[in-house]
Amino acid sequence: MTAQGPYQRVILVHYHEIGLKGHNRSKFESRLLKNILGLTSGYPVVTVHKISGRLIVFLKEGCTSDDAHACASFIARIPGVARTSSGFKCPREMQDIDQAAIAALEEASPFQTFKVAARRAHTDFPIDSMTMNRDVGAVLCEAFPLARVKMKEMDVEVRIEVVQNAAFVYAFSLSGVGGLPVGSSGKLMCLLSSGIDSPVALWQMARRGAICHAVHFSGAPETSDASEFLVDDIAHVLEKTGCIASVYTVALGTYQRRIALECPPPLRVILYRRLMFKVAEQLARSCGAKALITGESLGQVASQTLDNLCCTDAAVAMPIFRPLIGTDKQEIITRAHELGTFAISTEDAPDCCTLFMPRSPETHAKIPQVEEAEQAFPEEEWVAELVDAATCKVYAQPR
Ligand code: ATP
Ligand code: MG
């Protein structure tokens, strides 16, 4: 809430996995820098610089601590960010560091206990970190007479990082989502429903650095297009942190009707799903994606028994990534809440999954039996028609 004072407001962006990437490190850092710059246009960001082991986000003059903290919490949700800290950049002079520490601690109120933790990235700075901790600590005790220094389990940690030409001082830090910057791990194609699971699955792979395209199958023209709108809402949530590149929409209803008419009812769901996977694989190839993602979780529903998962796997040559395969529904729900997609996913909308469902779906399908049932329709032709008719919407991604 306090005014900025004489020092420039900055956000320090910490990352860890990137630090492990050897000679690729600088590529990963540049990717993260571009992503942060591209995604923060709605925030008072002037520029982003690389310093050793950190990115520094420079904020506009005159922005408040609330602006800075909001920006820090937004950046913390961008894949690749392990932690963000909101504070100040100041000259490498003790009186400046003292003043910046007072300003930083003031913003961390209310608090009762604190400690100072200083670090010198360059030992050319004449004062060692122990001395800085002690001296800045004494200045802060004087400025905040009710506060106490505490070495463990303190309310606030005032951090000082002295680098080559400047010092950074902050007392406000947030954990980030971690992972790798989007754009550092290739392209994937996610089968995205408007349900709870698949947005979480997509996000988990985006957090591993993948550029994620998606395909949604609606039940149109047999159902309304409500699920398409929900998927668009979900994509807008994922778009904020650069986690989705595009969504293809495919109307499956007519084809489901034909499967329902011509094939044994217990196999319907598996046949719908094999058709979906084949279309997804073609669309993936067309946009350079090398694997599919689904939100499947072992045993969650009839189509996700081990035998049935094997039957859908056998429909395509591409690897299928199922990041939630060993995750309980409750854990997925918690992640969907954190991600901000849960409320959208619990809105009711019919899609291809609710259409022409059999009374008792097969839970242990055998591949030869399924392949035989598929002989009843011209599948290759259908896949080509569905791929041709797919529409595509592109979402904002930093380049
Ligand atoms: P979700 O699993 O996303 O909550 P759901 O529970 O409605 O949705 P399931 O029957 O569990 O869907 O389907 C398993 C997976 O198949 C989904 O996680 C998703 O990857 C894919 N899938 C299901 N329905 C669709 C659809 N209409 N369009 C695209 N992919 C779908
Ligand atoms: Mg599911």
Side-chain angles (χ1 to χ4, degrees):
M1 232 85 87
T2 48
Q4 180 180 342
Y7 305 117
Q8 169 133 40
R9 269 192 195 284
V10 291
I11 293 166
L12 282 82
V13 179
H14 314 257
Y15 38 82
H16 33 66
E17 280 198 61
I18 298 176
L20 303 175
K21 293 282 172 182
H23 61 274
N24 274 337
R25 178 179 167 145
S26 122
K27 233 170 57 190
F28 282 74
E29 286 170 328
S30 304
R31 187 70 259 171
L32 183 60
L33 188 154
K34 273 192 201 153
N35 290 358
I36 292 173
L37 204 52
L39 293 165
T40 49
S41 56
Y43 291 87
V45 170
V46 181
T47 180
V48 185
H49 286 175
K50 228 192 295 190
I51 63 163
S52 64
R54 308 253 186 280
L55 298 179
I56 308 292
V57 178
F58 289 89
L59 299 180
K60 283 191 183 136
E61 209 175 303
C63 81
T64 64
S65 64
D66 286 350
D67 296 335
H69 294 183
C71 185
S73 53
F74 174 73
I75 293 173
R77 288 161 52 203
I78 297 176
V81 174
R83 196 152 54 88
T84 56
S85 308
S86 163
F88 300 97
K89 179 186 177 193
C90 70
R92 288 189 354 165
E93 299 295 337
M94 280 317 290
Q95 63 266 38
D96 289 302
I97 292 174
D98 290 342
Q99 289 310 308
I102 293 172
L105 191 53
E106 209 159 61
E107 290 180 359
S109 293
F111 68 94
Q112 289 176 335
T113 56
F114 74 94
K115 102 172 196 194
V116 179
R119 193 180 82 124
R120 287 184 302 174
H122 280 263
T123 43
D124 64 339
F125 188 65
I127 303 162
D128 66 44
S129 9
M130 290 298 279
T131 311
M132 270 194 281
N133 290 345
R134 201 189 53 224
D135 292 358
V136 178
V139 168
L140 291 175
C141 284
E142 210 170 292
F144 300 89
L146 298 178
R148 268 186 317 117
V149 173
K150 201 172 165 205
M151 284 301 136
K152 279 189 185 149
E153 292 171 13
M154 71 303 293
D155 297 332
V156 187
E157 200 168 7
V158 179
R159 291 195 164 246
I160 302 164
E161 299 191 12
V162 181
V163 298
Q164 208 163 14
N165 304 310
F168 296 98
V169 183
Y170 55 89
F172 178 91
S173 271
L174 289 169
S175 297
V177 293
L180 299 168
V182 169
S184 55
S185 306
K187 285 184 192 163
L188 299 173
M189 173 63 74
C190 180
L191 284 90
L192 184 63
S193 72
S194 63
I196 296 166
D197 307 330
S198 45
V200 173
L202 184 154
W203 178 79
Q204 287 197 185
M205 298 315 297
R207 195 180 58 162
R208 295 307 306 159
I211 292 174
C212 293
H213 295 269
V215 52
H216 174 66
F217 295 92
S218 77
E222 300 288 338
T223 64
S224 78
D225 51 7
S227 71
E228 296 174 33
F229 290 103
L230 292 184
V231 166
D232 184 49
D233 289 347
I234 287 168
H236 280 304
V237 172
L238 294 163
E239 179 185 35
K240 285 187 201 151
T241 49
C243 289
I244 191 159
S246 68
V247 175
Y248 292 87
T249 302
V250 176
L252 205 65
T254 308
Y255 298 82
Q256 282 180 268
R257 170 180 285 282
R258 288 163 70 178
I259 291 175
L261 286 173
E262 288 165 38
C263 299
L267 291 184
R268 270 182 210 166
V269 179
I270 293 179
L271 295 172
Y272 302 155
R273 292 185 66 75
R274 281 171 57 99
L275 181 59
M276 284 160 61
F277 279 62
K278 287 178 186 178
V279 172
E281 184 182 43
Q282 291 301 320
L283 291 172
R285 290 218 169 91
S286 73
C287 66
K290 292 188 179 142
L292 303 178
I293 309 169
T294 76
E296 289 161 311
S297 161
L298 187 63
Q300 191 190 75
V301 289
S303 61
Q304 292 166 38
T305 63
L306 181 55
D307 285 332
N308 289 0
L309 290 174
C310 290
C311 279
T312 43
D313 270 19
V316 292
M318 225 174 233
I320 301 171
F321 295 162
R322 298 182 169 97
L324 307 180
I325 195 70
T327 314
D328 279 355
K329 191 77 185 185
Q330 204 47 50
E331 293 166 332
I332 303 171
I333 289 174
T334 303
R335 282 185 209 163
H337 275 295
E338 289 163 3
L339 186 57
T341 51
F342 183 80
I344 307 168
S345 293
T346 44
E347 278 183 50
D348 220 14
D351 68 2
C352 65
C353 289
T354 46
L355 192 61
F356 307 128
M357 294 305 276
R359 215 179 280 273
S360 46
E362 175 62 69
T363 50
H364 297 287
K366 305 279 174 294
I367 295 169
Q369 173 198 18
V370 170
E371 285 176 347
E372 196 193 316
E374 274 170 356
Q375 301 301 315
F377 50 87
E379 204 178 34
E380 263 179 47
E381 233 170 78
W382 284 10
V383 172
E385 282 171 19
L386 286 163
V387 168
D388 269 357
T391 57
C392 179
K393 178 168 174 183
V394 175
Y395 292 86
Q397 280 234 304
R399 300 272 155 235

